[in-house]
């Protein structure tokens, strides 16, 4: 099976930080989502200004790729290196936070001797769908035009960025662009039309430490407006996954978006894609971004680097310790409860 439950003990420190997130961060995000357009703009400016002071010794820059500006790490002029295109999360309304997004990208690039690009795609509510996906597609096409070979490009994305990652694959296939070597969706939102489903949306609504599910319908309104939410480019759960490159989903078992990953991984597996979905206990939404708070995420970063190393052409990096032993299972606890969902 492609779905694996990560067998790992989560320490007290991480459990305490998860509680802090639930008590303080979740209500703050709820207020932010429900705020006025002016309030959202203020938060966009504040978050984008949180500088990253740790890029693993790699150069940090800002450049425009095919009319899409963004942050870079590494020597972007060296076209012989593999490149990681990271599409950031933020509910389609918040920008990349360099202190977390750029830091993780830099750590992965350091391990793989790669360069990275973090596009500053257009945000809602001022730019609605498909602006963010248009920019993400343009960034990928721009890397190809710059001379980076598709076999040496990986696309990764967290949360909303995981949604965009799967959208870019659909665009690439439709426009006959070469597929990237692999993709790495982290806690992606794959269904934007039903705030009440898939099942983990309501089963985990109190356990999720970050996402206030009752406020996410406003995100859909701000981002998608009246667009048909069953459009696979908006809700990639309904995409045709045939011909997609190898995929590695990472998600937390307590997330409201847990089943967004599990169901998407099943769709990909049914379409013959080489896919794996690791479901981690306890840790919050998009937890690989928060390594400074959750020590266990060093393990998931090693897993992510190992996946990228396997699929990116020409990567010559030292081997990393083996992946933590995990136990396969037939679906999440949420989906096992309803036999009708097991064939999805």
């Amino acid at each position: 099976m492609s779905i694996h439950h990560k067998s790992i003990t989560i320490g007290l420190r991480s459990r305490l930080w998860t509680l802090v997130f639930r008590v303080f961060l979740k209500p703050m995000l709820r207020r932010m989502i429900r705020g006025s357009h002016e309030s959202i703009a203020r938060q966009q400016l504040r978050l984008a200004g949180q500088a990253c002071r740790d890029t693993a010794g790699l150069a940090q820059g800002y450049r425009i790729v095919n009319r899409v500006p963004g942050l870079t790490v590494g020597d972007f002029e060296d076209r012989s290196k593999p490149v990681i295109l990271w599409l950031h999360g933020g509910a389609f309304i918040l920008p990349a936070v360099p202190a977390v997004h750029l830091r993780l990208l830099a750590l992965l690039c350091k391990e793989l001797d790669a360069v990275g690009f973090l596009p500053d795609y257009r945000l809602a509510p001022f730019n609605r769908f498909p602006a963010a996906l248009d920019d993400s597609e343009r960034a990928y096409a721009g890397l190809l035009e710059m001379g980076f070979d598709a076999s040496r490009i990986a696309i990764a994305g967290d949360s909303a960025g995981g949604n965009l990652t799967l959208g870019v694959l659909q665009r690439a296939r439709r426009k006959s662009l070469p597929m990237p070597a692999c993709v790495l969706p982290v806690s992606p939102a794959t269904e934007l039309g039903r705030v009440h489903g898939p099942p983990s949306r309501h089963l985990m609504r109190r356990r999720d430490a970050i996402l206030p599910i009752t406020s996410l319908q406003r995100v859909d309104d701000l981002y998608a407006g009246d667009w048909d939410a069953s459009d696979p480019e908006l809700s990639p759960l309904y995409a045709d996954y045939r011909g997609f490159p190898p995929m590695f989903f990472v998600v937390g078992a307590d997330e409201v978006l847990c089943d967004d990953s599990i169901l998407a991984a099943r769709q990909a597996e049914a379409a013959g894609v080489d896919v794996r979905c690791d479901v981690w206990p306890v840790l919050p939404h998009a937890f690989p971004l928060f390594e400074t708070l959750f020590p266990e995420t060093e393990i998931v970063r090693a897993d992510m680097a190992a996946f990228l190393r396997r699929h990116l052409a020409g990567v010559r990096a030292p081997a990393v310790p083996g992946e933590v032993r995990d136990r396969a299972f037939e679906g999440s606890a949420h989906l096992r409860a309803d036999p009708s969902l097991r064939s999805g």
Side-chain angles (χ1 to χ4, degrees), residues 26-107:
K26 189 173 182 177
M28 184 177 70
L29 185 58
R30 181 183 294 113
R31 290 191 299 271
M32 191 181 302
I33 291 171
R34 293 176 175 174
S36 66
H37 287 196
E38 182 180 356
S39 172
I40 291 173
R42 282 198 301 269
Q43 295 300 332
Q44 290 174 347
L45 285 167
R46 183 181 66 83
L47 293 173
Q50 294 186 8
C52 178
R53 295 180 175 83
D54 180 12
T55 53
L58 299 178
Q60 179 182 159
Y62 192 86
R63 68 181 300 148
I64 297 172
V65 174
N66 195 20
R67 294 187 289 141
V68 181
L71 295 162
T72 64
V73 290
D75 181 5
F76 220 75
E77 301 307 318
D78 187 347
R79 307 293 197 267
S80 68
K81 290 182 178 292
V83 58
I84 302 172
L85 174 64
W86 192 285
L87 304 176
H88 69 82
F92 303 103
I93 64 175
L94 299 177
V97 182
V100 291
H101 292 102
L102 193 65
R103 183 181 185 276
L104 175 57
L105 178 57
L107 289 171

Side-chain angles (χ1 to χ4, degrees), residues 284-297:
H285 177 66
F287 61 88
L289 295 170
F290 306 112
E291 189 171 325
T292 57
L293 301 179
F294 304 106
E296 296 85 359
T297 56

Side-chain angles (χ1 to χ4, degrees), residues 4-24:
H4 296 81
H5 179 228
K6 206 68 177 176
S7 179
I8 184 170
T9 300
I10 304 300
L12 179 60
R13 170 190 167 96
S14 294
R15 291 176 182 272
L16 289 174
W17 271 113
T18 300
L19 178 61
V20 170
F21 276 26
R22 186 177 297 116
V23 173
F24 295 103

Side-chain angles (χ1 to χ4, degrees), residues 157-227:
D158 61 284
S159 194
N163 174 290
L164 296 171
T165 295
L166 299 175
V168 169
L169 295 184
Q170 296 175 68
R171 292 280 186 92
R173 180 176 56 200
R174 178 158 58 85
K175 297 188 177 182
S176 299
L177 295 176
M179 285 288 179
C182 57
V183 296
L184 209 169
V186 177
S187 302
T190 64
E191 217 290 0
L192 296 190
R194 297 170 176 82
V195 72
H196 59 280
S200 59
R201 301 284 185 92
H202 58 87
L203 292 173
M204 294 293 110
R205 66 187 185 279
R206 292 187 176 88
R207 293 186 63 86
D208 191 301
I210 294 181
L211 295 182
I213 189 63
T214 55
S215 300
L216 292 187
Q217 187 60 53
R218 183 157 196 257
V219 171
D220 296 346
D221 292 339
L222 293 173
Y223 176 58
D226 295 330
W227 200 283

